[in-house]
């Protein structure tokens, strides 16, 4: 009984009771028995919706009651705020909750006053790298969806982060929540944790396959759902759930498909079904919801979503704006939206139970696999687990679709009778180790090769592998890479991070991205003059001839000076690294000490005439590097997901590539270097998206032109902002004069505006569109906002008084009130 939970803060057991949690679910009770509330580590491998969150809360709350501090690691950023909101209900019992998202390069000192902290594993990793002091006070850490250690991209971070946290505090309680997987025991062994494993669910789940005119369920029962000639299975199943059983209970459906486009087209079909089931009242509410959706953004996706929502259906995928996602999820939980067609992202995390789950597509295109690949059992089980709303449905139904009897039998074998796969560590891969080994050295967890291997021995990989040699081999290759690129250096047995290496680790960059950025900026500095001439329209041949003549005399002298300077720089660097015994050093100190790291090792030819300052300036107004050049540079790093080239794109971007050639920070690969050239073009496509964004092209135009969703634009913009911020830091640390250009390019990406709007767009509440309208009405700066005629401002803001007042207040105007201002008094030129 919940009343027996004496180790919780006062009032909490009663509050749980009031929430309707009168008794612990069996797996929860088992967890408490295993010592969950006494600080015991635990792996809970139980099905979706069986109350894992409460398991986490019990552990965290009792840990805090004992004077500790808890950390909850979420797998997706979108889930961080959702979890925080959930835990905030404990604030009235004296528990402070904080969420740490955003900016990687900070230690979030304010979090030290919080009792429960929510963050992604990437964020936690970066907090460790930035030496957050409160890390030492952690007594309990929860890893949500720990089976994601199996994920090639994100798994290693979670794995290494857990290993580091445990090393910082050997008594740390680790609570790992997992879907049912094949080898939960192995995960528990890795974490020295108790294991609670169960198939128990709060509501029965019937799994089946629809084929012909009926669903065959795993319990042997059948339900007739006939599909008329020319009809499709999924809409028929959605209609059937809405028809309900004898009681007039209408059931909602979740339809899982394999791509965004399919989610959108399926939603259109489902809307024709749901439309027939909505009442008059609902129609009104749905129309209102559709209007809210259109208000979020005026993109095609927004419009398409609003159109289906008006009819009681929706689609859900990672290309949606997060406001859209929340609106859709809430309305589905409120039973206003009757059907969502979704890509599998919905299955991970978000709590959207449904009467019926239809797994329409159980295969997905996989480039590495070279075709359609069946989904993992684990993934399909997680989708199916969304079926059944406790308290609303008698049971949940999860249905796969087959078009012939053989497929029906295969689906039963493959998914319904099958156990979920084992999770396997993906740590022993170079990209993962590249970043984690540098961080491990930089934040002082290990100082030698042996130390590193000993640290790695605490990972799941070590628990699982039967080839212990392999980790050592990959480690050697990676250390070599880091050394050659100047991120670490060896002094005998001892490995140290160079100042640049420290920065890269703290910036949370993949060292390969950092090397690419450094290379590119140095290359740009070296070719600055020649490229500026090309941009000004001079032919490369002419430029080259002149340059050679002019420089020949200078070169010898410059070279001598340069070598001298490099040498002092290197000495200094050595000195600093030696002093830097803690492994932590303020970046500003490094910058003022004249830059760090042996820049030449990171790229460029060691004895070249080098930086821009040694070459005679070419007089021009052109900034260099150009924004496009910088966008392209960060887009070709492994930290940016590039846009794919679609058919026809290769020609388009090849042409563009030659047109914009002088702007690139690096040599364009030959067209015969197939892969490299293709990558270059994908980066160019992504860079032009960013260029359109800062060129104030409408979001809807961008989504059309690149075939992406509004959420993707946000994603690219955020990543670019982060990478350009990192580039700015590297440039200033390496004394490259691109710093100003990089900062400018970053700011433009941040606000999505042209250079002349930067000042305005920085005012809270303005944004890219309003900035342009204000500018066109003659209100061009923050200062203008404080001084210009109010009626002019109001007219430019299309008469929105509240908005105008907020903006004026943010701009620091003394009396922002618009109460007696008449927009029609504005001069004619104030109405854009
Ligand atoms: P999971 O994280 O395992 O997918 P959740 O933690 O979201 O599942 O729990 C699903 C639902 O069950 C939540 O609405 C939660 O409030 C409810 N719940 C959890 N434990 C209990 C309990 N012991 N008694 C009643 N309801 C519970």
């Amino acid at each position: 009984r919940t009343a027996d939970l004496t180790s919780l803060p006062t009032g909490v057991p009663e509050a749980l009771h009031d929430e309707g949690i009168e008794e612990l679910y069996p797996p929860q009770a088992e967890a408490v028995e295993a010592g969950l509330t006494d600080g015991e580590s635990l792996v809970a491998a139980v099905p979706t919706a069986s109350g894992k969150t409460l398991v986490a809360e019990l552990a965290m709350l009792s840990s805090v009651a004992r004077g500790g501090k808890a950390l909850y690691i979420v797998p997706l950023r979108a889930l961080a705020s959702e979890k925080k909101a959930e835990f905030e209900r404990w604030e009235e019992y004296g528990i402070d909750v904080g969420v740490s998202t955003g900016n990687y390069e900070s230690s979030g000192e304010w979090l030290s006053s919080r009792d429960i902290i929510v963050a992604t594993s990437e964020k936690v990793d970066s907090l460790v790298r930035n030496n957050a002091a409160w890390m030492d006070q952690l007594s309990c850490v929860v890893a949500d969806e720990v089976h994601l250690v199996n994920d090639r991209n994100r798994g290693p971070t979670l794995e290494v982060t857990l290993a580091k946290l445990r090393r910082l505090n050997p008594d740390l309680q680790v609570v790992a929540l997992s879907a049912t997987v094949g080898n939960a025991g192995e995960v528990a062994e890795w974490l020295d944790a108790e294991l609670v494993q169960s198939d128990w669910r709060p509501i029965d789940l019937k799994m089946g396959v629809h084929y012909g005119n009926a669903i065959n369920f795993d319990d042997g029962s059948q339900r007739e759902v006939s599909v008329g000639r020319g009809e499709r299975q999924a809409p028929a199943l959605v209609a059937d759930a809405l028809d309900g059983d004898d009681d007039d209970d209408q059931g909602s459906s979740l339809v899982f498909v394999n791509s965004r486009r399919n989610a959108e087209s399926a939603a259109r079909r489902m809307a024709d079904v749901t439309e027939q089931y909505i009442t008059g009242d609902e129609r009104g509410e749905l129309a209102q919801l559709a209007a809210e959706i259109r208000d979020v953004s005026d993109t095609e996706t927004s419009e398409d979503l609003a159109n289906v929502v008006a009819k009681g259906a929706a689609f859900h995928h990672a290309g949606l704006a997060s406001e859209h996602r929340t609106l859709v999820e809430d309305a589905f939980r409120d039973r206003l939206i009757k059907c969502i067609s979704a890509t599998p992202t919905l299955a991970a995390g978000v709590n959207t139970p449904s009467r019926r789950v239809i797994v329409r597509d159980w295969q997905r295109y996989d480039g590495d696999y070279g075709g359609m690949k069946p989904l993992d059992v684990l993934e399909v089980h997680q989708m199916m687990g969304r079926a059944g709303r406790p308290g609303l449905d008698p049971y949940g139904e999860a249905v796969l679709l087959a078009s012939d009897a053989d497929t029906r039998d295969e689906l039963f074998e493959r998914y319904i009778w099958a156990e979920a796969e084992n999770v396997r560590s993906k740590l022993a891969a170079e990209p993962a180790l590249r970043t984690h080994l540098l961080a491990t050295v930089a934040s002082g967890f290990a100082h030698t090769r042996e130390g590193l291997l000993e640290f790695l021995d605490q990972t799941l990989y070590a628990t699982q592998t039967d080839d212990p040699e392999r980790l050592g081999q990959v480690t050697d290759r990676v250390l070599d890479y880091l050394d050659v690129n100047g991120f670490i250096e060896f002094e005998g047995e001892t490995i140290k991070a160079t100042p640049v290496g420290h920065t890269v680790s703290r910036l949370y960059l993949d060292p390969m991205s950092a090397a690419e950025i450094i290379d590119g900026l140095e290359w740009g500095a070296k070719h600055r003059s020649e490229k500026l001439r090309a941009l000004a329209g001079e032919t490369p041949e002419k430029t080259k001839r002149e340059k050679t003549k002019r420089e020949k005399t200078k070169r010898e002298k410059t070279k001598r000076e340069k070598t001298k300077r490099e040498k002092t720089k290197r000495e200094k660097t050595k000195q600093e690294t030696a002093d830097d015994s803690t492994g932590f050093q303020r970046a500003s100190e490094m910058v003022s000490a004249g830059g760090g790291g042996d820049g030449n090792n990171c790229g460029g030819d060691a004895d070249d005439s080098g930086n821009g300052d040694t070459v005679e300036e070419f007089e021009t107004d052109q900034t260099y590097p150009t924004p496009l050049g910088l966008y392209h540079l960060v887009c070709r790093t492994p930290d940016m997901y590039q846009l794919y080239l679609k058919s026809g794109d290769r020609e388009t971007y090849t042409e563009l590539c030659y047109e914009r050639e002088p702007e690139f920070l690096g040599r364009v690969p030959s067209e015969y270097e197939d892969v490299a050239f293709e990558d270059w073009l994908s980066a160019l496509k992504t860079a032009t998206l960013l260029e359109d964004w800062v060129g104030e092209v409408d979001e809807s135009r961008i989504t059309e032109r690149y075939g992406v969703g509004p959420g993707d634009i946000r994603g690219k913009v955020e990543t670019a902002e982060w990478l350009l911020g990192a580039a700015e830091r590297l440039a200033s640390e390496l004394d490259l004069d691109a710093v100003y250009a990089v900062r400018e390019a970053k700011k433009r990406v941040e606000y999505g505006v042209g250079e002349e709007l930067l000042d305005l767009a920085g005012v809270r509440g303005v944004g890219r569109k309003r900035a342009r309208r204000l500018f066109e009405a003659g209100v061009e700066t923050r200062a203008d906002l404080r001084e210009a005629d109010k009626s002019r401002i109001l007219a430019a803001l299309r008469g929105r008084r509240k908005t105008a007042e907020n903006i004026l207040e943010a701009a620091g105007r003394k009396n922002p009130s618009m109460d007696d201002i008449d927009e029609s008094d504005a001069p004619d030129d104030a109405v854009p």
Side-chain angles (χ1 to χ4, degrees), residues 773 793-801 823 832:
R773 271 192 242 123
I793 293 173
L794 189 59
L797 295 173
R798 301 194 167 154
R800 299 201 178 201
R801 276 162 206 279
E823 152 188 20

Side-chain angles (χ1 to χ4, degrees), residues 632-745:
H632 186 265
L633 176 61
V634 298
C635 286
R636 53 182 209 246
T637 67
D639 277 312
M640 174 68 88
Y641 281 107
Q642 299 163 351
L643 295 172
Y644 291 108
L645 295 183
K646 304 214 167 96
S647 71
D649 277 356
R650 201 182 154 101
E651 291 71 38
T652 313
Y653 289 98
T654 303
E655 203 171 301
L656 192 67
C657 175
Y658 291 118
E659 220 171 277
R660 312 288 298 262
E661 203 265 340
E663 297 184 60
F664 295 124
L665 297 166
R667 185 187 63 86
V668 179
S670 139
E671 282 189 53
Y672 298 105
E673 295 171 62
D674 229 10
V675 178
F677 188 66
E678 183 113 2
D679 275 354
W680 194 268
L681 295 186
S682 300
L684 177 57
K685 183 175 176 184
T686 318
T688 51
L689 181 150
L690 293 170
E691 192 179 50
D692 281 354
W693 168 251
V694 303
E696 296 172 49
V697 177
D698 263 350
E699 258 185 285
S700 56
R701 281 287 298 282
I702 300 182
T703 52
E704 254 169 65
R705 194 175 285 171
Y706 299 94
V708 297
D712 298 309
I713 304 181
R714 297 274 148 74
K716 300 278 174 276
V717 164
E718 274 175 27
T719 310
E721 224 182 294
W722 160 54
L723 290 172
L724 288 164
E728 185 188 338
R729 279 288 305 281
L730 291 169
S732 95
E733 195 161 324
L734 295 169
D735 254 349
L736 297 168
D737 29 270
V739 180
Y740 179 76
V742 179
R743 185 179 312 146
E744 196 75 3

Side-chain angles (χ1 to χ4, degrees), residues 32 86 182 231 258 293 306 387 395 411 427 444 474 478 539 548 582 642 690 742 766 792 825 829:
V32 171
E86 207 172 333
E231 259 189 339
N258 59 9
I293 285 172
Y395 53 84
L411 290 176
L427 189 64
V474 185
V478 168
T539 63
T548 329
T582 58
Q642 299 163 351
L690 293 170
V742 179
V766 174
R792 178 184 285 272
D825 287 345
D829 69 337

